[in-house]
Amino acid sequence: MDSPRVSIIGSGYVGLITGLVFAKKGFDTVCIDVIPDRVDKINNGISPFFEPRLQELHSECIDTGKIRASLDSVKEIRDSDITFICVGTPSRDDGSADLSYIEQASSDIGEALRSKERYHVVVAKSTIPPGTTEELIIKRIETVSGKKAGKDFGVCMNPEFLKQGSAVHDAFNPDRIVIGEYDTRSGEGLQVLYNDFDCPKMMCDIKAAELIKYAANSFLATKISFANDFARICEAFNVDVYEVMKGIGYDYRINPRFLNAGVGFGGSCFPKDVKAVIALADEIGVETPILDSVIETNEFQPIHFVNIIKRTIGDLNGKKVGFLGLSFKPNTDDVRETRALPIISSLIDEGVLVRAYDPEAMENFARITTLPIDYMPSWREALNGSDFAVIQTDWDEFKNIRGKDFRQYLNSPIVFDGRRSYNPESLIKEGIVYRGIGWKNL
Ligand code: UGA
């Protein structure tokens, strides 16, 4: 395959961005989705979600004609040479991964391959439990198509490690590319697409590739919960946890990243993936005390944060909060598993009137909750006349708020910093009552 045509099933963050990366590298790429509005948007050059640099890249690839979107999965798969499965694997109630979209995608691929003579490569990119590629994807494709893996089609598992908020950058500059291959021919078919990526490329067993993704996310989540446990210890000893984590981060075996204490991790990946690992370990009778505690710490952080607020203010009934940041992290409009929800919900239970602002995520947040929240058009308006401020997402826009701004707009200059967005000492010098996770004097 010299210049394979690429089809991608599922046009969410991973699917669309993967598609755009291949389109930018010159491969003809089609993104398949079941949502007509999303397909129209992609074809009209309008990115369906916010992500830095996404819109420019999208417009460029539409102009070069290298990307398009379609609702017709079977036809598009048949007309391409490599198909990526990039559909969601959401959590079920018991924490395990819901694989129904994977099943549907596999059936579509089977249907397409039934009437196809040429060799085709199927690549699972979604985060899936070990064994899913072999037991579900391959078996389903073989049953529906009547074809044989390894002979008529190749299969790879190629996990994605991009982060929302820097997804475009990450997708072009991965730390490594992991390819679990069914056989050498499958791996070679996929490697053509990654030829000019300058990073380590690791070929491995398909199940190992599936587990590498879960292990990577579980480990990063563990680092965060570790920092959050230490944050509470540091608060009690009147020590800044950021100094302590900086001190350990110089050790190359530890490294300084993902040790930022705060109100916990959210998003569509860490909570879901750690819970999925716990559920699948439970199913096979393996205990996971570390991962259980990672989730426990994460669920406790918003409660701990609200406790800090209660301890500082006293009776919260009737108080107004200028609540800044609803997305689960900066530079995204995604609110899945955002810590804003448990924090706001507890504040409302205490009788607080919430005046919230987020630069990108207000519409999405209003969709996931009916809590009585006043959505404000700017941070100034959210703070104006409020009794205290809460920072839940460390958007740059909020980091630029000065002590004098808090003093000007708030009724009393009290700032609760859930993400350690500020230099506490300079705010304190400017007369602000500062309370931050893992900061001294709590
Ligand atoms: C995460 C992983 O970082 C990616 O490598 C992976 O590809 C992705 O999941 C996925 O599985 O698709 P993402 O959830 O987009 O990426 O964002 P992160 O930057 O990892 O942040 C997740 C959460 O952890 C956010 O709520 C963030 O605020 C929080 N966080 C992150 C901390 O509380 N402290 C930190 O030090 C770092």
Side-chain angles (χ1 to χ4, degrees):
M1 275 191 256
D2 269 354
S3 186
R5 287 162 303 173
V6 179
S7 58
I8 302 209
I9 309 179
S11 304
Y13 280 90
V14 171
L16 177 59
I17 291 167
T18 303
L20 288 169
V21 167
F22 292 137
K24 168 80 179 169
K25 300 253 178 209
F27 298 100
D28 283 319
T29 304
V30 58
C31 287
I32 300 162
D33 208 284
V34 290
I35 307 170
D37 179 53
R38 178 158 295 197
V39 167
D40 285 346
K41 279 200 170 118
I42 296 174
N43 282 329
N44 292 324
I46 302 162
S47 298
F49 43 83
F50 172 77
E51 190 66 38
R53 290 176 49 199
L54 177 62
Q55 186 57 63
E56 296 96 283
L57 175 67
H58 187 166
S59 305
E60 188 189 329
C61 294
I62 289 285
D63 289 348
T64 58
K66 288 290 175 191
I67 194 120
R68 62 189 178 79
S70 170
L71 289 164
D72 193 346
S73 57
V74 174
K75 176 185 176 300
E76 302 295 354
I77 296 163
R78 195 186 301 123
D79 292 348
S80 64
D81 303 298
I82 299 190
T83 299
F84 284 81
I85 302 177
C86 295
V87 295
T89 50
S91 277
R92 289 207 205 95
D93 286 345
D94 64 355
S96 65
D98 175 353
L99 300 175
S100 48
Y101 300 119
I102 297 278
E103 271 180 59
Q104 182 57 50
S106 309
S107 299
D108 289 355
I109 296 171
E111 183 78 33
L113 297 195
R114 194 158 47 175
S115 54
K116 186 171 173 178
E117 292 310 318
R118 259 178 309 113
Y119 183 74
H120 194 96
V121 177
V122 177
V123 185
K125 213 178 221 322
S126 306
T127 302
I128 42 179
T132 306
T133 306
E134 278 149 354
E135 296 306 318
L136 195 160
I137 298 178
I138 295 182
K139 281 196 177 148
R140 177 62 63 95
I141 297 174
E142 286 183 335
T143 309
V144 178
S145 66
K147 301 276 164 82
K148 198 88 199 85
K151 177 172 155 286
D152 306 305
F153 65 98
V155 183
C156 293
M157 198 296 150
N158 170 221
E160 180 53 60
F161 301 105
L162 59 78
K163 302 183 285 304
Q164 284 178 233
S166 56
V168 173
H169 173 269
D170 295 348
F172 279 106
N173 303 282
D175 293 332
R176 76 303 207 182
I177 292 167
V178 172
I179 299 179
E181 53 183 5
Y182 184 82
D183 55 13
T184 316
R185 189 179 178 199
S186 306
E188 283 171 359
L190 174 57
Q191 280 196 65
V192 177
L193 294 180
Y194 288 123
N195 267 344
D196 72 339
F197 280 74
D198 182 22
C199 67
K201 290 167 195 160
M202 175 180 165
M203 310 304 291
C204 61
D205 179 78
I206 285 191
K207 270 201 204 92
E210 291 166 332
L211 271 173
I212 285 169
K213 173 62 194 243
Y214 275 118
N217 275 0
S218 300
F219 187 72
L220 292 168
T222 303
K223 286 186 87 173
I224 299 169
S225 279
F226 172 87
N228 284 335
D229 276 357
F230 257 84
R232 296 194 306 280
I233 296 170
C234 287
E235 287 161 18
F237 280 101
N238 208 13
V239 168
D240 179 5
V241 73
Y242 274 62
E243 269 184 357
V244 174
M245 292 301 121
K246 187 176 169 193
I248 67 168
Y250 283 116
D251 186 329
Y252 74 93
R253 294 168 303 174
I254 297 174
N255 108 28
R257 287 177 282 274
F258 279 70
L259 288 176
N260 295 328
V263 287
F265 55 78
S268 62
C269 305
F270 287 168
K272 162 179 85 75
D273 292 349
V274 178
K275 285 177 194 161
V277 177
I278 293 171
L280 67 92
D282 187 50
E283 228 177 271
I284 52 172
V286 173
E287 287 178 4
T288 51
I290 291 184
L291 297 180
D292 298 345
S293 324
V294 167
I295 295 293
E296 199 186 322
T297 290
N298 200 52
E299 278 164 11
F300 183 58
Q301 278 311 93
I303 299 169
H304 175 63
F305 187 57
V306 173
N307 285 341
I308 295 173
I309 299 175
K310 282 200 241 171
R311 261 201 325 264
T312 310
I313 308 266
D315 184 9
L316 287 173
N317 196 20
K319 299 279 184 207
K320 291 188 210 130
V321 59
F323 195 99
L324 305 186
L326 300 171
S327 57
F328 83 95
K329 65 181 274 190
N331 299 321
T332 176
D333 57 1
D334 198 329
V335 296
R336 284 175 287 179
E337 295 284 333
T338 173
R339 305 289 84 195
L341 193 57
I343 298 169
I344 289 181
S345 161
S346 305
L347 289 174
I348 288 177
D349 284 348
E350 296 290 329
V352 175
L353 306 167
V354 177
R355 314 165 81 231
Y357 168 72
D358 187 287
E360 297 289 344
M362 293 204 284
E363 267 177 44
N364 283 346
F365 196 76
R367 269 187 217 123
I368 60 163
T369 178
T370 51
L371 285 170
I373 296 167
D374 286 333
Y375 293 97
M376 309 304 283
S378 69
W379 62 260
R380 284 185 180 77
E381 278 152 286
L383 296 185
N384 199 15
S386 290
D387 299 302
F388 60 96
V390 162
I391 318 296
Q392 194 286 135
T393 320
D394 43 346
W395 284 95
D396 281 346
E397 189 179 331
F398 304 153
K399 288 187 185 164
N400 292 329
I401 304 175
R402 297 278 154 262
K404 68 175 173 40
D405 301 317
F406 286 120
R407 281 212 317 274
Q408 177 184 342
Y409 293 110
L410 290 171
N411 291 342
S412 35
I414 312 175
V415 175
F416 296 95
D417 187 356
R419 295 286 175 192
R420 295 294 299 270
S421 313
Y422 303 100
N423 176 338
E425 261 133 13
S426 34
L427 277 192
I428 292 165
K429 251 189 226 141
E430 290 184 76
I432 302 298
V433 177
Y434 178 88
R435 298 284 185 267
I437 295 277
W439 176 243
K440 309 173 213 179
N441 295 318
L442 288 180

